[in-house]
Amino acid sequence: MASSHGNTHSEAAKMEQIITEFYAKSLHIILESRTPYMSSRNYSGEQALSSPSSSSSSSSSVRPRDKWFNLALRECPAALENLDLWRQSSLEPMVVDVVLVQRPLVSYPVDCSPKGDLARNFSLKERYPYCWNYEQEDFWCEAKSEKIIERWVLQYDTRKARDTKSGSRRLSNSTLYKKSILLLRSLYVTVRLLPAYKIYRDLNSSGQILPFTLAHRVASFAEPFTCREDEEMQQFEFTPVDTACGRLCLSVLYCSSLSDVSSEPSTPMSPQVIPDYVGSPLADPLKRFPSLPVTGSLSRAIPSSIPFSRRHSWSYDHGTDSPPSVSFSPSPTHSEPHASISNPRSRHFPPTSLPRHLSGTSLDHKKDTGFYEYCPSPGFSPALSPSASPSLPISIPGNHLSKNMLRSESAPVSAPVAKCAKSPASSHKLNFPPSPPLISTRAGTFKTDKTTVGTSVEKLFSFGKGETRQCSGLKISSNSSPQISLSRSSTRSFPDDFDESEYPYPFDYDDDVTDPGSRPESFDQTGGLFPIKISQDAAVGALVRMLKKAPPLRQEISDSVSLSHACRPEIWNNSKPEAILSSESQAPLQHAGSSSVISSGLITSKTTADALEELRGYRDMKNSLLASGKSHM
Amino acid sequence: MSCEVCQLKELEVEHFEIREVLRCILHTIVFNRALGLVRPKDVDLELFEITYVQCGDLELEKKIDEKIEQFISWVEKHPNKKSQVCLSFFEVKNKQGSWFTNKTERQKYWEQWYINLNVAQNPKAHSTKSHHSKVVVDPGESASEERVARRAALEATLHEVLFQIVKFVNEKKDHVPPIPNLEGVVSFPYEITIPSSSDSVFGMDMIKRMLQTGHPTMLS
């Protein structure tokens, strides 16, 4: 590795190779810690197995790749998929966008997003980067929000090098290599210091079902950020590494305000998570109540009890189904004041979600809000915090909210119904704020409930049925069981009913999404959920499983999935299936169904038969859970 | 090659936090200077929402832990003091010693990191490490709020320090010696110095260390 001076092609070739490998390694480092379940963190031992075929296909074998820059990394199919592009043209800049995707709870964290709901938005965006905003608006209804939280830019700048360097001082390849190693070491550390890593870590922590996931996009150009985005971003520039005829420049723009999202997930998982989910369904009923009959002060008590749920709740909001929460707020008297106050925040939230479900007009509103507005992370945070919760309902509206509210107001009767329908799937906590009035009547029950979520939920249901018969009657009756309302599926079912009623648009959407078969399943699941709640840890585990399982159904829904890039599907498939499998007890229920769905890709839709099979599985679970629950009781 | 020195921002720590903080910092530095084949190992701190990187080298881990234990015992003997831990990287030169150097081998320091700690007085037994559920700790007491705030501040500072390391490592590359053709994760010899128990005044230790280390130009 002597000085490069008189050296011929060999030196130049070596240098080029180093640069190329530098690209590859950088990408690998970045994606390895941004692609859920791909990193060694939790699956170091299993990586080999998990690594998708694509990765194996890649030219580089593990060993040689590890030796580059003396940095042995875990398998990261996502990186490998994108590497070939740059091996061919190493001089092009490489832009890696890390995208935070918020989705409704219904969809499972990692798995679902790619194929199903996410797939739509995502694929579209990716394919038509320039149309990004459009895509988001249109698909917003599905309740997914995307936000670029990190942008890594790696480029080989030949011009700068000439400027800086005098010809006399040339860098040998050995120096280049050494400095590259140093840079990559610091990159490796930095990637873990940035806020996005917390999200990644949360996503990978076992047993958590999170309303968001991370995705990435690798391109040779960067879509310009909006002013808002720019304001949110901080930059960190790595010191460039000079080469004989240029310099390697690596920098990152990152969103420093992810604390909201990340913090929530970071919260203790075990007990909290379950309650939330349980609570969410419950919350929905509550919400319904408030909207309709009761306007009490109970809400406060409830929220406090359900702090955790809020996290989820916001996720719901983001989710396609979730929109209801927003809508709820408007309908009640409470909503209006809040809306005015919270409007700014509302933008951050997935306002679109509301509109769609609630009203077709919502789309217009969505358009108004740029995708960046969704950058929810800040906005969401308030929702998470209990105090903020009240504001949340309002927040969603913003301009949109106002419309929604107007709508809801105009048709008071319909509004409650809509709420009911929405409530289950949508946001638990968000709903709560509005619900408080309702809560007051129920307050006693809730308080007790708080300790035991399951019971509270049941109560809520009962309430919902009795009090809000309109809503409950429609949806619940359809389900035949109160429990159904809780399940996300229930939300879907509601939409259908509602379609005819006052909120056709949302329903239309839902209809597309939900399969007929899926609904029944969901109901069963929900039924299972209640018992689970009653029971204990086991129940929780079961719930988690159920939740995870549920997504496949939705996946079917999304037609747009097909659009998804080739790369992503692979990534998702790889990562997600693993994640699912890894997750504790999913195996039985999810069984082939979920995994197969994922692998098959977004495009493939489930058949009724599949749904029935899944349903059976759920029923079995439910029965077992009930049995166990009884024993516990 | 000159010896680059990095003074890291002072950290206000409580006694029970010393171990994690030092581990985090020392491993992060060494990882950035370990140019051998590394299989990075991510480690989540228990007290803080921070993930740092280890080289995955058992020997290194052991050495660092030993030094930390020594440091902690020193702190116990010398409460209420600001203290420093120094991590130095050096090269071993086999040159013939200069006239006042006895050894044929001599250490040539090319980089030194000073970790500055201010150990808080109340080493309230907090041995049970709460798993980053800071809020959960003693919810009722106002003291707990203080603690939470203090912990958050420390976490922020620790984060700053880690970024300081990253920036330093990025900016200073020229002084790093060529990669030795050695097998092993940590390619450069290093040493971790803590205030010695005999030194009542830390300043003395500093001077002593300076003499030991010697500036390259001084010795040659």
Side-chain angles (χ1 to χ4, degrees):
Chain A
M1 305 292 280
S3 65
S4 58
H5 279 293
N7 293 336
T8 57
H9 306 296
S10 62
E11 283 300 305
K14 280 182 186 175
M15 185 189 76
E16 195 173 326
Q17 194 180 5
I18 291 173
I19 294 169
T20 305
E21 292 298 335
F22 184 84
Y23 269 75
K25 206 67 156 189
S26 300
L27 181 63
H28 195 162
I29 291 171
I30 294 166
L31 293 187
E32 189 222 25
S33 63
R34 294 295 184 267
T35 312
Y37 294 105
M38 302 311 286
S39 86
S40 58
R41 240 183 114 76
N42 297 326
Y43 302 89
S44 58
E46 306 170 7
Q47 290 178 349
L49 299 177
S50 65
S51 65
S53 59
S54 63
S55 65
S56 62
S57 65
S58 68
S59 58
S60 60
S61 65
V62 178
R63 282 306 160 187
R65 204 191 312 139
D66 287 348
K67 285 183 180 174
W68 271 103
F69 307 103
N70 284 337
L71 188 59
L73 302 174
R74 288 102 200 225
E75 288 293 313
C76 183
L80 293 175
E81 289 170 4
N82 289 291
L83 280 183
D84 292 339
L85 298 175
W86 270 268
R87 288 188 191 281
Q88 297 168 2
S89 58
S90 62
L91 295 186
E92 277 190 40
M94 180 166 71
V95 179
V96 182
D97 283 345
V98 178
V99 184
L100 174 65
V101 181
Q102 313 252 13
R103 64 198 162 198
L105 288 183
V106 178
S107 61
Y108 314 121
V110 180
D111 312 319
C112 310
S113 58
K115 297 179 179 179
D117 311 346
L118 295 179
R120 280 190 188 176
N121 296 340
F122 225 46
S123 60
L124 293 177
K125 291 178 181 179
E126 292 180 346
R127 300 201 172 185
Y128 312 96
Y130 294 104
C131 307
W132 179 288
N133 291 340
Y134 275 117
E135 301 298 352
Q136 284 195 338
E137 292 175 2
D138 295 343
F139 293 83
W140 216 180
C141 19
E142 292 194 336
K144 299 168 188 172
S145 68
E146 298 185 2
K147 179 186 181 181
I148 297 176
I149 55 174
E150 277 182 5
R151 168 165 292 172
W152 300 86
V153 179
L154 173 59
Q155 54 186 337
Y156 183 58
D157 192 339
T158 52
R159 181 187 52 196
K160 283 184 183 178
R162 289 170 190 166
D163 295 344
T164 18
K165 289 185 182 178
S166 56
S168 60
R169 184 193 169 196
R170 285 201 179 182
L171 296 178
S172 67
N173 279 339
S174 62
T175 304
L176 166 62
Y177 190 60
K178 182 190 76 180
K179 291 190 174 183
S180 299
I181 292 178
L182 292 169
L183 176 51
L184 290 172
R185 294 279 194 276
S186 64
L187 169 62
Y188 193 92
V189 171
T190 305
V191 159
R192 282 153 180 75
L193 292 177
L194 295 179
Y197 186 76
K198 286 182 185 175
I199 295 176
Y200 161 79
R201 195 174 64 177
D202 291 333
L203 286 170
N204 270 8
S205 57
S206 59
Q208 267 188 323
I209 299 176
L210 300 175
F212 53 84
T213 190
L214 290 175
H216 61 268
R217 178 177 44 223
V218 183
S220 59
F221 57 89
E223 304 168 33
F225 280 126
T226 63
C227 295
R228 273 198 193 181
E229 290 176 311
D230 265 343
E231 289 174 3
E232 288 183 356
M233 295 293 209
Q234 292 187 18
Q235 185 171 22
F236 182 79
E237 283 195 58
F238 294 83
T239 306
V241 171
D242 292 333
T243 69
C245 56
R247 69 200 313 200
L248 280 167
C249 303
L250 176 62
S251 66
V252 60
L253 282 167
Y254 64 95
C255 214
S256 55
S257 59
L258 296 176
S259 55
D260 306 344
V261 176
S262 62
S263 66
E264 295 179 357
S266 65
T267 60
M269 341 219 11
S270 57
Q272 298 174 350
V273 173
I274 298 168
D276 296 351
Y277 288 99
V278 176
S280 64
L282 297 177
D284 296 348
L286 293 176
K287 296 174 181 179
R288 297 175 183 177
F289 296 100
S291 65
L292 296 176
V294 183
T295 58
S297 59
L298 297 180
S299 60
R300 289 186 179 180
I302 295 172
S304 64
S305 63
I306 312 171
F308 298 98
S309 61
R310 288 185 180 179
R311 302 166 186 174
H312 299 283
S313 66
W314 64 262
S315 63
Y316 283 103
D317 296 345
H318 295 287
T320 55
D321 295 347
S322 58
S325 64
V326 176
S327 63
F328 290 96
S329 62
S331 62
T333 57
H334 304 284
S335 62
E336 292 184 358
H338 294 285
S340 62
I341 298 169
S342 60
N343 290 347
R345 290 183 182 178
S346 62
R347 292 183 180 179
H348 296 282
F349 291 82
T352 54
S353 63
L354 295 176
R356 289 190 179 182
H357 295 278
L358 297 177
S359 63
T361 57
S362 62
L363 295 176
D364 299 344
H365 301 289
K366 296 173 183 178
K367 291 179 181 179
D368 295 346
T369 60
F371 88 106
Y372 32 93
E373 291 182 351
Y374 295 104
C375 8
S377 55
F380 290 112
S381 60
L384 298 177
S385 65
S387 62
S389 63
S391 64
L392 294 179
I394 301 167
S395 64
I396 297 168
N399 301 338
H400 315 289
L401 292 179
S402 63
K403 294 180 181 179
N404 295 339
M405 297 183 63
L406 295 176
R407 295 174 185 173
S408 62
E409 293 175 355
S410 64
V413 178
S414 62
V417 176
K419 293 175 181 180
C420 297
K422 297 171 180 179
S423 60
S426 63
S427 61
H428 317 285
K429 297 181 178 179
L430 294 178
N431 297 340
F432 286 93
S435 62
L438 302 178
I439 298 165
S440 61
T441 56
R442 303 170 186 176
T445 58
F446 281 100
K447 293 176 181 178
T448 57
D449 295 348
K450 294 176 180 179
T451 54
T452 59
V453 176
T455 58
S456 65
V457 173
E458 293 177 0
K459 293 177 181 178
L460 294 175
F461 271 108
S462 63
F463 262 115
K465 293 177 181 178
E467 293 180 356
T468 60
R469 289 185 180 180
Q470 301 170 346
C471 305
S472 64
L474 297 176
K475 298 175 180 180
I476 296 172
S477 63
S478 64
N479 297 339
S480 73
S481 66
Q483 298 173 347
I484 296 168
S485 63
L486 299 179
S487 66
R488 38 175 167 163
S489 63
S490 66
T491 58
R492 296 175 184 173
S493 64
F494 290 113
D496 295 350
D497 297 345
F498 288 93
D499 293 351
E500 296 178 358
S501 63
E502 294 181 357
Y503 303 84
Y505 2 48
F507 300 142
D508 297 344
Y509 228 142
D510 294 353
D511 292 352
D512 298 345
V513 176
T514 58
D515 297 350
S518 64
R519 293 179 184 176
E521 294 179 358
S522 63
F523 290 103
D524 295 351
Q525 294 176 355
T526 57
L529 293 175
F530 289 89
I532 295 168
K533 298 170 182 177
I534 298 170
S535 66
Q536 290 130 11
D537 297 345
V540 173
L543 288 173
V544 173
R545 296 174 188 174
M546 292 176 62
L547 291 172
K548 293 179 179 177
K549 297 171 183 179
L553 296 175
R554 286 197 173 183
Q555 293 177 351
E556 301 174 2
I557 299 167
S558 63
D559 304 343
S560 61
V561 174
S562 60
L563 299 178
S564 63
H565 285 281
C567 315
R568 293 204 171 174
E570 296 178 359
I571 298 169
W572 294 92
N573 294 345
N574 298 338
S575 63
K576 295 180 177 180
E578 297 176 359
I580 297 170
L581 296 176
S582 64
S583 64
E584 315 132 0
S585 59
Q586 298 173 346
L589 297 177
Q590 294 176 343
H591 49 67
S594 61
S595 62
S596 65
V597 173
I598 298 167
S599 63
S600 62
L602 303 175
I603 301 170
T604 62
S605 63
K606 289 184 180 180
T607 63
T608 307
D610 295 335
L612 288 174
E613 288 186 5
E614 288 191 5
L615 181 62
R616 289 175 192 162
Y618 288 122
R619 284 183 178 171
D620 294 341
M621 280 187 61
K622 170 189 169 185
N623 291 337
S624 63
L625 289 171
L626 289 171
S628 62
K630 289 178 181 177
S631 63
H632 288 292
M633 298 296 285
Chain B
M1 264 176 259
S2 60
C3 180
E4 298 283 353
V5 177
C6 183
Q7 287 281 352
L8 294 175
K9 187 174 179 178
E10 181 176 283
L11 292 156
E12 303 248 352
V13 299
E14 285 187 39
H15 189 269
F16 72 96
E17 294 163 332
I18 294 174
R19 188 174 286 104
E20 272 215 325
V21 167
L22 281 181
R23 261 190 206 150
C24 171
I25 296 174
L26 289 172
H27 277 287
T28 299
I29 296 170
V30 173
F31 174 77
N32 277 291
R33 291 299 179 232
L35 303 189
L37 179 56
V38 168
R39 281 187 188 279
K41 178 180 158 193
D42 299 344
V43 179
D44 296 335
L45 291 183
E46 293 183 0
L47 298 174
F48 310 97
E49 278 269 332
I50 288 178
T51 301
Y52 70 96
V53 185
Q54 290 187 356
C55 297
D57 184 78
L58 286 180
E59 204 173 313
L60 168 67
E61 209 171 329
K62 190 178 166 190
K63 182 168 177 180
I64 287 179
D65 282 347
E66 277 176 10
K67 284 292 177 183
I68 291 175
E69 293 308 322
Q70 288 177 28
F71 176 75
I72 289 176
S73 62
W74 181 88
V75 167
E76 285 167 351
K77 292 173 191 168
H78 303 78
N80 304 330
K81 279 190 181 177
K82 296 190 176 185
S83 45
Q84 248 181 347
V85 175
C86 179
L87 171 58
S88 308
F89 294 95
F90 58 88
E91 282 182 292
V92 177
K93 296 288 186 182
N94 284 325
K95 295 177 184 176
Q96 299 294 333
S98 50
W99 61 270
F100 61 88
T101 310
N102 297 331
K103 303 171 185 174
T104 52
E105 289 189 355
R106 101 184 150 75
Q107 300 178 350
K108 183 183 176 185
Y109 291 85
W110 52 270
E111 191 171 79
Q112 290 184 316
W113 300 81
Y114 288 99
I115 304 166
N116 296 290
L117 295 181
N118 190 2
V119 182
Q121 298 192 1
N122 60 331
K124 197 172 183 177
H126 213 346
S127 58
T128 57
K129 298 173 183 176
S130 58
H131 294 266
H132 54 229
S133 55
K134 307 149 195 169
V135 184
V136 177
V137 181
D138 302 341
E141 305 172 7
S142 62
S144 70
E145 291 183 9
E146 248 179 64
R147 173 164 295 152
V148 171
R150 199 200 55 76
R151 180 80 61 81
L154 175 55
E155 179 174 314
T157 312
L158 181 55
H159 204 264
E160 274 182 54
V161 166
L162 293 177
F163 257 107
Q164 197 184 347
I165 295 170
V166 167
K167 286 174 182 168
F168 183 90
V169 159
N170 254 281
E171 290 166 6
K172 312 279 187 179
K173 294 201 191 87
D174 288 329
H175 68 290
V176 177
I179 307 171
N181 289 325
L182 299 177
E183 300 246 340
V185 171
V186 186
S187 46
F188 302 114
Y190 64 95
E191 68 180 15
I192 299 170
T193 354
I194 60 172
S196 65
S197 54
S198 61
D199 289 330
S200 59
V201 180
F202 188 71
M204 283 299 297
D205 186 56
M206 293 287 291
I207 295 169
K208 185 178 173 185
R209 191 179 303 139
M210 276 189 64
L211 291 174
Q212 288 174 345
T213 302
H215 205 275
T217 54
M218 285 174 57
L219 296 181
S220 61

